[in-house]
Amino acid sequence: MPKLTIDGQEIEVEPGTVIIQACEQLGIEIPRFCYHERLNIAGNCRMCLVEVSPGPPKPQASCALPCADKMVVKTDTPMVKKAREGVMEFLLINHPLDCPICDQGGECDLQDQALLYGQGKSRYREGKRAVEDKYMGPIVKTNMTRCIHCTRCIRFATEIAGVPELGAFGRGEHMEVGTYVEQAITSELSGNLVDICPVGALTSKPYAFLARPWELTKTESIDVMDAVGSNIRVDSRGEMVLRVLPRVHEQINEEWISDKTRHACDGLRVSRLDRPYVRNADGVLKPVAWGEAFAAIASRLSALLPRQVAALAGNLACAESITALKELMGRIGSPNMDCRQEGAQLPYARRGDYLFNTTIAGIEQADLILLVGANPRDEAAMVNARIRKAWRNGGAAIYNIGKPENLTYPVTELGNDPQLLEAILAGKHPLAGAIAAAKRPMLALGMAALARHDGAVIYAAARAVAGNMMREGWNGFNVLHHAASRVGALDLGFVPGEGGKGIEDILAGAQKGEISFLYLLGVDEIDTHLFGDAFVVYQGHHGDDGAHRADVILPGAAYTEKDATYVNLEGRMQRTRRAIFPPGQAKEDWAVLRALSEALGKPLPYNTLAQLRQRMASINPVFGQEDVVSAAAMSPVASAPAPVAAAPFERLIDNFFMTDPISRASQTMAECTRVRLEGPVKQAA
């Protein structure tokens, strides 16, 4: 391994390490614009110049120069200082002096490095070059005169997002960065372009001119728009969430987030439920006090038998509220409950049966990936980015059984025929041999496969196929969830009790009159006509489908308004943090259920959040270990109990940008949907 000296300090590095990386290992800061540790090296901004010997007596770019044995590097000599000042002077020749109106102000690498490494003056008096702004869709706002040609955006779009739609055209001072034709970036990760732009050339269009960074309260939290559990930072001012940014978590989302995670936050401000409602005799919802709403629920429940009562948990429900609702149902005496809104026939006997066992970071180690009834690009965008990374860095071969989709990487389409699983299992398909030869194969089973009438059969067949994907220290079976609440609800046992009804039987019972009372905890993805004449209580934060059907509405808190627990698809328990308070009379969901239990005369045995979390940890130790993933036991592999039906898989998600009440209320997501439907090319004014 090369051993070199940097500013008098000796260091030994891995072969292939470049000087800028070695400097970071020693804690020596090197300025840079084009270099980014997750992108290929471009070496075109020249800001990272250092003095190297042996070698020519001139500064050299530290991002593009590999470390060599006995190399001596100096980062703070007069030559280096003068060279960096010269580079900064060139970069600022055409840069407009509009920092006071630039949204990047206060968070701008160019500002920071001009202060630290610039000379504070310019010798250029010529007119500045102006560049026409480009259209990149409803997420990215451009001011291309500020562009310094670092090409970070081009490399991100090509390498990470997998949509090579950005490029540079022209030469010299006439070079411009754009999409070649006026069109929106067709990636669900396009908001990350704003984060990696070191100047104000690319800024956030929905956030434009809303606030300055020093005005914002920053709260570390997690995302609930899907089951990945991306780490985020919620920036708020007063009672408004103004933006969401990614936090670095190498095991989950690295430093990226999807556009829905980032920009659906404007939906938190509209269509909110801020007071209780009760439907009167005329069929009109009227605002009432909390006590009156609880009394209406108690009156209805008093006339019913426990078997006539059922509860459903929605995709955004937190573990605290699910625990409280489960125990309230237990005190009522009803075993009728379920968390699988789409009707997925997903076993839950052991934890490994429903987890993404390979883990998100483990995808990078896979050399063969089989997708079954899954569209990770729409269902879990950061999982899709990891799969692309596995293909790009490790050459993983990806196969798909299901509807063909554009997943941003090459996929071998085996056909949309679930019976292929049986052929692979019987060794009659070439993929069986490839699985046997692979060192780390994995299978990702999507909810679209499990929500069918033969979902249990497909699950059994997929488990049997994945039985050939087990290696020493490697579990290749994965369930690809799309709902943030799902794994936590299964961990807590929010499923039919002994003799209880699941989602399918609950809906059938409601239409037959056997289920007369339905408690919906944020349930909005079910056709409300299936509820029949049942008395419906809806607890949630948006006036979505569930609220429109409800007889009683209890306003709850969104994920940015409460300290709440979620478990992501790989089984990692994480917590949101309250950034703002719920609007009006809305309360945290577990507190609403605790108050309701008191009104029903069946009080729950906890009065504080800490006591409730102790109860959760006693139900399942997972809730006592934050940000930890451990191997989970699985049920024995069983062969499919019946033949797999030949009916093709259908899509689970038709519109990536609108999958929950928050994103459906978002104006930004509505605009993204419009652009996707009308096509990415800019429409004529």
Side-chain angles (χ1 to χ4, degrees), residues 348-383:
Y348 44 83
R350 295 192 180 184
R351 197 164 189 251
D353 295 345
Y354 55 81
L355 289 186
F356 200 92
N357 294 288
T358 299
T359 73
I360 298 171
I363 294 172
E364 295 182 32
Q365 303 175 40
D367 54 359
L368 185 149
I369 301 172
L370 174 60
L371 305 175
V372 180
N375 178 2
R377 187 173 183 183
D378 282 355
E379 296 166 28
M382 300 319 304
V383 169

mmCIF file of all heavy atoms in Angstrom, residues 348-383:
data_model
loop_
_atom_site.group_PDB
_atom_site.id
_atom_site.type_symbol
_atom_site.label_atom_id
_atom_site.label_comp_id
_atom_site.label_asym_id
_atom_site.label_seq_id
_atom_site.Cartn_x
_atom_site.Cartn_y
_atom_site.Cartn_z
ATOM 1 N N TYR A 348 -46.889 -13.841 8.635
ATOM 2 C CA TYR A 348 -46.257 -13.063 9.688
ATOM 3 C C TYR A 348 -45.891 -13.938 10.888
ATOM 4 O O TYR A 348 -45.753 -13.458 12.014
ATOM 5 C CB TYR A 348 -47.187 -11.929 10.147
ATOM 6 C CG TYR A 348 -48.626 -12.347 10.335
ATOM 7 C CD1 TYR A 348 -49.060 -12.956 11.510
ATOM 8 C CD2 TYR A 348 -49.553 -12.151 9.327
ATOM 9 C CE1 TYR A 348 -50.377 -13.348 11.674
ATOM 10 C CE2 TYR A 348 -50.876 -12.545 9.475
ATOM 11 C CZ TYR A 348 -51.281 -13.135 10.652
ATOM 12 O OH TYR A 348 -52.588 -13.524 10.815
ATOM 13 N N ALA A 349 -45.737 -15.251 10.646
ATOM 14 C CA ALA A 349 -45.419 -16.159 11.750
ATOM 15 C C ALA A 349 -44.073 -15.816 12.371
ATOM 16 O O ALA A 349 -43.923 -15.805 13.597
ATOM 17 C CB ALA A 349 -45.425 -17.604 11.257
ATOM 18 N N ARG A 350 -43.076 -15.541 11.531
ATOM 19 C CA ARG A 350 -41.759 -15.151 12.012
ATOM 20 C C ARG A 350 -41.320 -13.888 11.283
ATOM 21 O O ARG A 350 -41.710 -13.641 10.151
ATOM 22 C CB ARG A 350 -40.747 -16.277 11.801
ATOM 23 C CG ARG A 350 -41.057 -17.522 12.626
ATOM 24 C CD ARG A 350 -39.894 -18.494 12.613
ATOM 25 N NE ARG A 350 -40.182 -19.685 13.410
ATOM 26 C CZ ARG A 350 -39.315 -20.661 13.626
ATOM 27 N NH1 ARG A 350 -38.101 -20.596 13.089
ATOM 28 N NH2 ARG A 350 -39.648 -21.698 14.357
ATOM 29 N N ARG A 351 -40.464 -13.129 11.945
ATOM 30 C CA ARG A 351 -40.123 -11.805 11.436
ATOM 31 C C ARG A 351 -39.437 -11.854 10.081
ATOM 32 O O ARG A 351 -39.670 -11.009 9.214
ATOM 33 C CB ARG A 351 -39.238 -11.085 12.460
ATOM 34 C CG ARG A 351 -39.166 -9.582 12.249
ATOM 35 C CD ARG A 351 -38.622 -8.873 13.469
ATOM 36 N NE ARG A 351 -38.763 -7.443 13.304
ATOM 37 C CZ ARG A 351 -37.746 -6.610 13.105
ATOM 38 N NH1 ARG A 351 -36.509 -7.081 13.065
ATOM 39 N NH2 ARG A 351 -37.955 -5.318 12.963
ATOM 40 N N GLY A 352 -38.578 -12.838 9.864
ATOM 41 C CA GLY A 352 -37.880 -12.930 8.596
ATOM 42 C C GLY A 352 -38.794 -13.212 7.423
ATOM 43 O O GLY A 352 -38.404 -13.031 6.268
ATOM 44 N N ASP A 353 -40.037 -13.646 7.704
ATOM 45 C CA ASP A 353 -40.976 -13.951 6.631
ATOM 46 C C ASP A 353 -41.427 -12.704 5.882
ATOM 47 O O ASP A 353 -41.880 -12.803 4.734
ATOM 48 C CB ASP A 353 -42.217 -14.659 7.193
ATOM 49 C CG ASP A 353 -41.891 -16.023 7.777
ATOM 50 O OD1 ASP A 353 -40.797 -16.539 7.499
ATOM 51 O OD2 ASP A 353 -42.739 -16.569 8.516
ATOM 52 N N TYR A 354 -41.337 -11.528 6.532
ATOM 53 C CA TYR A 354 -41.877 -10.325 5.889
ATOM 54 C C TYR A 354 -40.866 -9.185 5.806
ATOM 55 O O TYR A 354 -41.227 -8.052 5.483
ATOM 56 C CB TYR A 354 -43.142 -9.842 6.614
ATOM 57 C CG TYR A 354 -42.997 -9.599 8.109
ATOM 58 C CD1 TYR A 354 -42.447 -8.436 8.598
ATOM 59 C CD2 TYR A 354 -43.429 -10.556 9.022
ATOM 60 C CE1 TYR A 354 -42.322 -8.207 9.953
ATOM 61 C CE2 TYR A 354 -43.318 -10.353 10.386
ATOM 62 C CZ TYR A 354 -42.761 -9.177 10.843
ATOM 63 O OH TYR A 354 -42.643 -8.958 12.203
ATOM 64 N N LEU A 355 -39.590 -9.455 6.064
ATOM 65 C CA LEU A 355 -38.579 -8.404 6.004
ATOM 66 C C LEU A 355 -37.819 -8.408 4.679
ATOM 67 O O LEU A 355 -37.816 -9.391 3.948
ATOM 68 C CB LEU A 355 -37.567 -8.562 7.135
ATOM 69 C CG LEU A 355 -38.024 -8.251 8.560
ATOM 70 C CD1 LEU A 355 -36.842 -8.332 9.509
ATOM 71 C CD2 LEU A 355 -38.685 -6.892 8.657
ATOM 72 N N PHE A 356 -37.144 -7.309 4.424
ATOM 73 C CA PHE A 356 -36.165 -7.220 3.348
ATOM 74 C C PHE A 356 -34.849 -7.700 3.950
ATOM 75 O O PHE A 356 -34.010 -6.921 4.398
ATOM 76 C CB PHE A 356 -36.065 -5.774 2.842
ATOM 77 C CG PHE A 356 -35.466 -5.638 1.472
ATOM 78 C CD1 PHE A 356 -36.286 -5.636 0.352
ATOM 79 C CD2 PHE A 356 -34.097 -5.528 1.289
ATOM 80 C CE1 PHE A 356 -35.743 -5.505 -0.925
ATOM 81 C CE2 PHE A 356 -33.546 -5.401 0.029
ATOM 82 C CZ PHE A 356 -34.371 -5.386 -1.082
ATOM 83 N N ASN A 357 -34.667 -9.015 3.958
ATOM 84 C CA ASN A 357 -33.605 -9.632 4.755
ATOM 85 C C ASN A 357 -32.194 -9.321 4.270
ATOM 86 O O ASN A 357 -31.248 -9.310 5.055
ATOM 87 C CB ASN A 357 -33.810 -11.151 4.777
ATOM 88 C CG ASN A 357 -35.067 -11.550 5.519
ATOM 89 O OD1 ASN A 357 -35.132 -11.465 6.737
ATOM 90 N ND2 ASN A 357 -36.092 -11.970 4.773
ATOM 91 N N THR A 358 -32.033 -9.069 2.991
ATOM 92 C CA THR A 358 -30.708 -8.753 2.463
ATOM 93 C C THR A 358 -30.195 -7.421 2.997
ATOM 94 O O THR A 358 -28.987 -7.197 3.037
ATOM 95 C CB THR A 358 -30.747 -8.727 0.922
ATOM 96 O OG1 THR A 358 -31.134 -10.019 0.449
ATOM 97 C CG2 THR A 358 -29.417 -8.380 0.324
ATOM 98 N N THR A 359 -31.101 -6.571 3.427
ATOM 99 C CA THR A 359 -30.899 -5.179 3.841
ATOM 100 C C THR A 359 -30.647 -4.298 2.618
ATOM 101 O O THR A 359 -30.242 -4.782 1.560
ATOM 102 C CB THR A 359 -29.773 -4.975 4.868
ATOM 103 O OG1 THR A 359 -28.508 -5.127 4.235
ATOM 104 C CG2 THR A 359 -29.903 -5.929 6.038
ATOM 105 N N ILE A 360 -30.886 -3.011 2.790
ATOM 106 C CA ILE A 360 -30.747 -2.072 1.676
ATOM 107 C C ILE A 360 -29.285 -1.966 1.246
ATOM 108 O O ILE A 360 -28.958 -2.049 0.058
ATOM 109 C CB ILE A 360 -31.314 -0.696 2.063
ATOM 110 C CG1 ILE A 360 -32.818 -0.811 2.361
ATOM 111 C CG2 ILE A 360 -31.059 0.322 0.962
ATOM 112 C CD1 ILE A 360 -33.429 0.434 2.957
ATOM 113 N N ALA A 361 -28.392 -1.801 2.219
ATOM 114 C CA ALA A 361 -26.972 -1.704 1.880
ATOM 115 C C ALA A 361 -26.457 -3.022 1.321
ATOM 116 O O ALA A 361 -25.547 -3.044 0.479
ATOM 117 C CB ALA A 361 -26.162 -1.299 3.114
ATOM 118 N N GLY A 362 -27.052 -4.146 1.746
ATOM 119 C CA GLY A 362 -26.611 -5.451 1.275
ATOM 120 C C GLY A 362 -26.872 -5.691 -0.197
ATOM 121 O O GLY A 362 -26.253 -6.582 -0.802
ATOM 122 N N ILE A 363 -27.767 -4.900 -0.783
ATOM 123 C CA ILE A 363 -28.049 -5.038 -2.216
ATOM 124 C C ILE A 363 -26.774 -4.879 -3.038
ATOM 125 O O ILE A 363 -26.597 -5.532 -4.063
ATOM 126 C CB ILE A 363 -29.111 -4.002 -2.650
ATOM 127 C CG1 ILE A 363 -30.460 -4.293 -1.980
ATOM 128 C CG2 ILE A 363 -29.263 -3.979 -4.167
ATOM 129 C CD1 ILE A 363 -31.502 -3.209 -2.203
ATOM 130 N N GLU A 364 -25.871 -4.010 -2.567
ATOM 131 C CA GLU A 364 -24.640 -3.742 -3.317
ATOM 132 C C GLU A 364 -23.777 -4.992 -3.468
ATOM 133 O O GLU A 364 -22.952 -5.072 -4.374
ATOM 134 C CB GLU A 364 -23.848 -2.638 -2.628
ATOM 135 C CG GLU A 364 -24.547 -1.288 -2.614
ATOM 136 C CD GLU A 364 -23.691 -0.212 -1.966
ATOM 137 O OE1 GLU A 364 -22.446 -0.294 -2.090
ATOM 138 O OE2 GLU A 364 -24.253 0.700 -1.344
ATOM 139 N N GLN A 365 -23.942 -5.961 -2.573
ATOM 140 C CA GLN A 365 -23.134 -7.172 -2.629
ATOM 141 C C GLN A 365 -23.741 -8.236 -3.544
ATOM 142 O O GLN A 365 -23.087 -9.229 -3.866
ATOM 143 C CB GLN A 365 -22.975 -7.754 -1.228
ATOM 144 C CG GLN A 365 -22.367 -6.792 -0.218
ATOM 145 C CD GLN A 365 -22.347 -7.376 1.171
ATOM 146 O OE1 GLN A 365 -22.077 -8.561 1.352
ATOM 147 N NE2 GLN A 365 -22.648 -6.553 2.161
ATOM 148 N N ALA A 366 -24.996 -8.047 -3.954
ATOM 149 C CA ALA A 366 -25.682 -9.059 -4.756
ATOM 150 C C ALA A 366 -25.092 -9.130 -6.158
ATOM 151 O O ALA A 366 -24.726 -8.107 -6.751
ATOM 152 C CB ALA A 366 -27.171 -8.750 -4.822
ATOM 153 N N ASP A 367 -25.002 -10.335 -6.679
ATOM 154 C CA ASP A 367 -24.549 -10.495 -8.062
ATOM 155 C C ASP A 367 -25.667 -10.990 -8.977
ATOM 156 O O ASP A 367 -25.496 -11.054 -10.190
ATOM 157 C CB ASP A 367 -23.343 -11.437 -8.139
ATOM 158 C CG ASP A 367 -23.607 -12.783 -7.475
ATOM 159 O OD1 ASP A 367 -24.710 -12.984 -6.939
ATOM 160 O OD2 ASP A 367 -22.694 -13.634 -7.487
ATOM 161 N N LEU A 368 -26.810 -11.351 -8.411
ATOM 162 C CA LEU A 368 -27.993 -11.715 -9.188
ATOM 163 C C LEU A 368 -29.219 -11.252 -8.414
ATOM 164 O O LEU A 368 -29.350 -11.534 -7.218
ATOM 165 C CB LEU A 368 -28.046 -13.226 -9.423
ATOM 166 C CG LEU A 368 -29.180 -13.747 -10.321
ATOM 167 C CD1 LEU A 368 -28.743 -14.993 -11.078
ATOM 168 C CD2 LEU A 368 -30.460 -14.057 -9.522
ATOM 169 N N ILE A 369 -30.094 -10.521 -9.093
ATOM 170 C CA ILE A 369 -31.295 -9.970 -8.446
ATOM 171 C C ILE A 369 -32.507 -10.357 -9.274
ATOM 172 O O ILE A 369 -32.564 -10.084 -10.473
ATOM 173 C CB ILE A 369 -31.207 -8.435 -8.321
ATOM 174 C CG1 ILE A 369 -29.970 -8.038 -7.507
ATOM 175 C CG2 ILE A 369 -32.472 -7.875 -7.688
ATOM 176 C CD1 ILE A 369 -29.690 -6.543 -7.492
ATOM 177 N N LEU A 370 -33.475 -11.004 -8.628
ATOM 178 C CA LEU A 370 -34.721 -11.397 -9.290
ATOM 179 C C LEU A 370 -35.873 -10.602 -8.689
ATOM 180 O O LEU A 370 -36.142 -10.688 -7.492
ATOM 181 C CB LEU A 370 -34.971 -12.899 -9.106
ATOM 182 C CG LEU A 370 -36.314 -13.435 -9.629
ATOM 183 C CD1 LEU A 370 -36.452 -13.180 -11.130
ATOM 184 C CD2 LEU A 370 -36.461 -14.916 -9.312
ATOM 185 N N LEU A 371 -36.535 -9.805 -9.512
ATOM 186 C CA LEU A 371 -37.707 -9.036 -9.098
ATOM 187 C C LEU A 371 -38.957 -9.817 -9.457
ATOM 188 O O LEU A 371 -39.105 -10.270 -10.594
ATOM 189 C CB LEU A 371 -37.725 -7.672 -9.789
ATOM 190 C CG LEU A 371 -36.468 -6.796 -9.631
ATOM 191 C CD1 LEU A 371 -36.599 -5.532 -10.471
ATOM 192 C CD2 LEU A 371 -36.228 -6.452 -8.179
ATOM 193 N N VAL A 372 -39.861 -9.962 -8.495
ATOM 194 C CA VAL A 372 -41.105 -10.697 -8.730
ATOM 195 C C VAL A 372 -42.279 -9.797 -8.351
ATOM 196 O O VAL A 372 -42.485 -9.480 -7.174
ATOM 197 C CB VAL A 372 -41.161 -11.999 -7.902
ATOM 198 C CG1 VAL A 372 -42.466 -12.739 -8.165
ATOM 199 C CG2 VAL A 372 -39.963 -12.888 -8.224
ATOM 200 N N GLY A 373 -43.022 -9.354 -9.362
ATOM 201 C CA GLY A 373 -44.179 -8.498 -9.096
ATOM 202 C C GLY A 373 -43.807 -7.215 -8.388
ATOM 203 O O GLY A 373 -44.574 -6.721 -7.560
ATOM 204 N N ALA A 374 -42.650 -6.670 -8.694
ATOM 205 C CA ALA A 374 -42.152 -5.484 -7.995
ATOM 206 C C ALA A 374 -41.699 -4.415 -8.982
ATOM 207 O O ALA A 374 -41.139 -4.728 -10.031
ATOM 208 C CB ALA A 374 -40.987 -5.862 -7.077
ATOM 209 N N ASN A 375 -41.945 -3.168 -8.628
ATOM 210 C CA ASN A 375 -41.436 -2.022 -9.377
ATOM 211 C C ASN A 375 -40.730 -1.111 -8.377
ATOM 212 O O ASN A 375 -41.309 -0.163 -7.859
ATOM 213 C CB ASN A 375 -42.581 -1.279 -10.066
ATOM 214 C CG ASN A 375 -42.094 -0.038 -10.815
ATOM 215 O OD1 ASN A 375 -40.900 0.257 -10.854
ATOM 216 N ND2 ASN A 375 -43.013 0.708 -11.392
ATOM 217 N N PRO A 376 -39.473 -1.421 -8.038
ATOM 218 C CA PRO A 376 -38.802 -0.659 -6.981
ATOM 219 C C PRO A 376 -38.661 0.824 -7.288
ATOM 220 O O PRO A 376 -38.568 1.631 -6.357
ATOM 221 C CB PRO A 376 -37.426 -1.347 -6.870
ATOM 222 C CG PRO A 376 -37.248 -2.097 -8.142
ATOM 223 C CD PRO A 376 -38.619 -2.489 -8.587
ATOM 224 N N ARG A 377 -38.680 1.201 -8.547
ATOM 225 C CA ARG A 377 -38.523 2.627 -8.860
ATOM 226 C C ARG A 377 -39.690 3.435 -8.311
ATOM 227 O O ARG A 377 -39.510 4.553 -7.833
ATOM 228 C CB ARG A 377 -38.401 2.813 -10.370
ATOM 229 C CG ARG A 377 -38.064 4.250 -10.757
ATOM 230 C CD ARG A 377 -37.766 4.409 -12.231
ATOM 231 N NE ARG A 377 -37.389 5.774 -12.552
ATOM 232 C CZ ARG A 377 -37.132 6.225 -13.762
ATOM 233 N NH1 ARG A 377 -37.199 5.387 -14.801
ATOM 234 N NH2 ARG A 377 -36.797 7.485 -13.962
ATOM 235 N N ASP A 378 -40.901 2.899 -8.365
ATOM 236 C CA ASP A 378 -42.070 3.602 -7.857
ATOM 237 C C ASP A 378 -42.381 3.238 -6.412
ATOM 238 O O ASP A 378 -42.917 4.061 -5.663
ATOM 239 C CB ASP A 378 -43.300 3.293 -8.723
ATOM 240 C CG ASP A 378 -43.292 4.081 -10.023
ATOM 241 O OD1 ASP A 378 -42.395 4.927 -10.201
ATOM 242 O OD2 ASP A 378 -44.174 3.845 -10.869
ATOM 243 N N GLU A 379 -42.073 2.025 -6.007
ATOM 244 C CA GLU A 379 -42.462 1.560 -4.675
ATOM 245 C C GLU A 379 -41.435 1.896 -3.608
ATOM 246 O O GLU A 379 -41.787 2.048 -2.436
ATOM 247 C CB GLU A 379 -42.701 0.044 -4.719
ATOM 248 C CG GLU A 379 -43.860 -0.343 -5.626
ATOM 249 C CD GLU A 379 -43.878 -1.827 -5.937
ATOM 250 O OE1 GLU A 379 -43.391 -2.626 -5.104
ATOM 251 O OE2 GLU A 379 -44.360 -2.199 -7.024
ATOM 252 N N ALA A 380 -40.161 1.991 -3.984
ATOM 253 C CA ALA A 380 -39.093 2.297 -3.027
ATOM 254 C C ALA A 380 -37.912 2.854 -3.809
ATOM 255 O O ALA A 380 -36.989 2.132 -4.161
ATOM 256 C CB ALA A 380 -38.692 1.052 -2.242
ATOM 257 N N ALA A 381 -37.951 4.144 -4.085
ATOM 258 C CA ALA A 381 -36.995 4.755 -5.009
ATOM 259 C C ALA A 381 -35.547 4.570 -4.569
ATOM 260 O O ALA A 381 -34.661 4.374 -5.406
ATOM 261 C CB ALA A 381 -37.303 6.244 -5.168
ATOM 262 N N MET A 382 -35.283 4.609 -3.261
ATOM 263 C CA MET A 382 -33.902 4.474 -2.803
ATOM 264 C C MET A 382 -33.417 3.033 -2.908
ATOM 265 O O MET A 382 -32.219 2.783 -3.057
ATOM 266 C CB MET A 382 -33.761 4.983 -1.368
ATOM 267 C CG MET A 382 -34.146 6.452 -1.185
ATOM 268 S SD MET A 382 -33.600 7.562 -2.510
ATOM 269 C CE MET A 382 -31.844 7.289 -2.545
ATOM 270 N N VAL A 383 -34.328 2.071 -2.834
ATOM 271 C CA VAL A 383 -33.955 0.684 -3.093
ATOM 272 C C VAL A 383 -33.581 0.531 -4.563
ATOM 273 O O VAL A 383 -32.611 -0.157 -4.908
ATOM 274 C CB VAL A 383 -35.107 -0.270 -2.712
ATOM 275 C CG1 VAL A 383 -34.846 -1.686 -3.224
ATOM 276 C CG2 VAL A 383 -35.301 -0.284 -1.207
#
